[in-house]
């Protein structure tokens, strides 16, 4: 979620959404890497959900420490949605990124990215849950929502959001044959924070969110948090991860990997300072991982593909999605 990104991690991914032309043109780190040498700088991408003035300070200490560790400048790149960030990595305008689970898969499949770490929250959890929220005291129940009838204005997440779209579709709506476009009076796509404010203000009656968003609203906007209640939670979803481009200079890549896996660990004043930085992001550490940790989300993606293929009466698509889903389930069953 990292976390102003309200969707996977939604609330902390910070900053000002930069225009594609100016923002990406300013990211020059990829040219040196493409020529086979170490880049002149690293560009670290974060999903933007709040203004840089409020959330940028949470990220900057971590990026400053990363810069010292790798010995080259590190600059942030704030994108307004996951598609922008995946395209930025695909074009080598960014070399390191925090990605929520589903967008991490997109970056691996399309942008030549690899996982080096996964995030762990301050309570030691490396997973979170999608939620469905309503205004506190509204009396709206999950049964009311699933009854449809075009009674409610509904806020869903970014199309690439794991907790804002994929999990509620797979775990809640698909298995009940509910199409949000047919179920609700209106459907609006936005990040978790915007949807939460929409519910609190009465613009929306129902919206998707996640448990990370809940924590940060309680911390930073308690008045808004008090106006919201959860009526559904999904099974656990893998947390966000840190990804790098596969073709990043090996020596630089190893420095980046070592930085994240050791950050905030050990004893002494420096380790304590780093833990304070992590706490601001609601993290306790970055844990070693590879892309296998994303397999549960790949299952969600395959299930969604299957539902979509069935809706199109696409026999070939159904066969392909079923094969992918069965392979992922078989892989899970043999894992310890």
């Amino acid at each position: 979620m990292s976390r102003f990104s309200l969707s996977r991690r939604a609330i902390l991914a910070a900053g000002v959404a930069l225009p594609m032309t100016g923002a990406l043109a300013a990211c020059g780190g990829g040219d040196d890497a493409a020529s086979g040498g170490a880049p002149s700088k690293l560009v670290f991408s974060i999903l933007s959900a709040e203004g840089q003035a409020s959330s940028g300070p949470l990220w900057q200490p971590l990026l400053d420490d990363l810069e010292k560790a790798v010995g080259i400048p590190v600059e942030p790149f704030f994108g307004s949605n996951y598609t922008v960030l995946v395209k930025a990595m695909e074009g080598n305008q960014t070399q390191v990124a925090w990605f929520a689970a589903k967008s991490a898969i997109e970056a691996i499949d399309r942008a030549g990215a690899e996982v080096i770490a996964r995030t762990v929250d301050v309570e030691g959890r490396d997973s979170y849950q999608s939620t469905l929220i309503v205004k506190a005291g509204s009396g709206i129940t999950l049964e009311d929502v699933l009854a449809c009838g075009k009674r409610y204005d509904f806020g869903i997440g970014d199309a690439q959001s794991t907790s804002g779209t994929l999990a509620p579709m797979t775990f809640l709506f698909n298995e009940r044959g509910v199409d949000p476009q047919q179920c609700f009076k209106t459907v609006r796509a936005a990040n978790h924070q915007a949807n939460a404010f929409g519910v609190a203000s009465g613009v929306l009656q129902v919206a998707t969110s996640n448990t990370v968003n809940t924590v940060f609203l309680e911390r930073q906007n308690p008045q808004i948090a008090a106006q919201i209640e959860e009526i559904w939670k999904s099974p656990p979803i893998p947390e966000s991860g840190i990804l790098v481009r596969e073709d990043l200079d090996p020596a630089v890549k190893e420095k980046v990997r070592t930085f994240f896996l050791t950050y905030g660990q050990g004893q002494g004043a420096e380790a304590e300072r780093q833990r304070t930085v992590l706490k601001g992001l609601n993290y306790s550490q970055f844990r070693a991982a590879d892309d296998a940790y994303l397999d549960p989300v790949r299952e969600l993606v395959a299930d969604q593909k299957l539902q979509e293929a069935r809706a199109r009466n696409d026999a070939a698509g159904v066969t392909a999605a079923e094969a992918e889903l069965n392979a992922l389930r078989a892989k899970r069953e043999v894992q310890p």
Side-chain angles (χ1 to χ4, degrees):
M1 177 143 90
S2 122
R3 308 213 173 201
F4 272 100
S5 74
L6 295 181
S7 135
R8 184 80 223 36
R9 271 207 116 162
I11 294 192
L12 271 189
V16 175
L18 301 176
M20 283 291 289
T21 52
L24 296 187
C27 301
D31 294 338
D32 296 308
S35 65
S40 58
K41 65 180 178 181
L42 291 178
V43 184
F44 187 100
S45 66
I46 306 164
L47 181 69
S48 171
E50 281 200 345
Q52 187 172 359
S54 61
S55 52
L58 296 171
W59 279 102
Q60 197 58 53
L62 180 71
L63 300 185
D64 289 343
D65 289 343
L66 176 60
E67 179 172 304
K68 293 175 185 176
V70 299
I72 56 178
V74 175
E75 298 179 1
F77 169 65
F78 299 109
S80 60
N81 58 65
Y82 291 120
T83 300
V84 168
L85 300 182
V86 172
K87 287 184 176 179
M89 182 162 272
E90 185 176 13
N92 201 16
Q93 285 95 7
T94 65
Q95 296 76 46
V96 189
W98 168 86
F99 275 119
K102 186 173 185 292
S103 53
I105 290 171
E106 293 286 327
I108 291 165
D109 293 347
R110 293 174 39 206
E114 67 177 86
V115 175
I116 60 170
R118 62 189 298 184
T119 59
V120 180
D121 75 11
V122 292
E123 296 181 0
R125 295 174 298 212
D126 57 12
S127 64
Y128 68 110
Q129 292 170 282
S130 171
T131 62
L132 211 62
I133 58 173
V134 299
K135 190 173 180 65
S138 67
I140 297 173
T141 66
L142 181 60
E143 291 73 20
D144 294 333
V145 171
L146 296 176
C148 297
K150 292 187 177 291
R151 291 182 291 169
Y152 304 127
D153 297 296
F154 178 61
I156 199 166
D158 183 302
Q160 297 299 322
S161 171
T162 308
S163 59
T165 299
L166 188 62
M169 289 302 299
T170 299
F171 293 129
L172 183 63
F173 295 130
N174 285 346
E175 67 180 42
R176 293 170 174 82
V178 173
D179 178 354
Q181 295 294 338
Q182 301 300 317
C183 180
F184 298 106
K185 182 165 59 175
T186 64
V187 178
R188 184 185 76 175
N191 64 47
H192 292 324
Q193 188 177 43
N195 282 337
F197 275 78
V199 168
S201 66
V203 174
L204 302 170
Q205 288 76 58
V206 188
T208 60
S209 184
N210 64 37
T211 50
V212 176
N213 190 17
T214 300
V215 169
F216 279 93
L217 284 176
E218 290 171 349
R219 185 202 301 186
Q220 298 192 342
N221 292 288
Q223 305 92 330
I224 297 297
Q227 299 178 61
I228 293 170
E229 63 182 57
E230 299 170 348
I231 59 171
W232 172 81
K233 287 185 178 181
S234 75
I237 302 167
E239 253 297 1
S240 55
I242 303 297
L243 282 75
V244 298
R245 281 184 57 91
E246 286 182 336
D247 61 359
L248 184 63
D249 176 77
V252 175
K253 184 190 297 186
E254 191 54 37
K255 288 181 180 179
V256 172
R257 187 194 311 275
T258 299
F259 168 81
F260 280 103
L261 297 185
T262 60
Y263 195 78
Q265 306 305 300
Q267 304 299 319
E270 178 61 12
E272 285 298 327
R273 183 192 67 80
Q274 292 175 359
R275 283 192 281 272
T276 299
V277 172
L278 287 173
K279 187 176 181 180
L281 297 169
N282 203 40
Y283 292 147
S284 61
Q285 69 177 103
F286 299 96
R287 183 173 293 161
D290 57 30
D291 64 3
Y293 102 91
L294 296 167
D295 281 349
V297 179
R298 287 193 180 275
E299 284 193 48
L300 300 184
V301 173
D303 179 76
Q304 186 70 10
K305 288 179 181 177
L306 177 59
Q307 300 299 328
E308 292 171 352
R310 285 173 174 167
R312 297 192 307 268
N313 293 317
D314 178 0
V318 168
T319 299
E322 286 179 337
E324 182 178 5
L325 192 56
N326 289 336
L328 287 163
R329 287 172 175 167
K331 180 179 178 183
R332 171 164 48 84
E333 288 173 0
V334 300
Q335 289 176 342

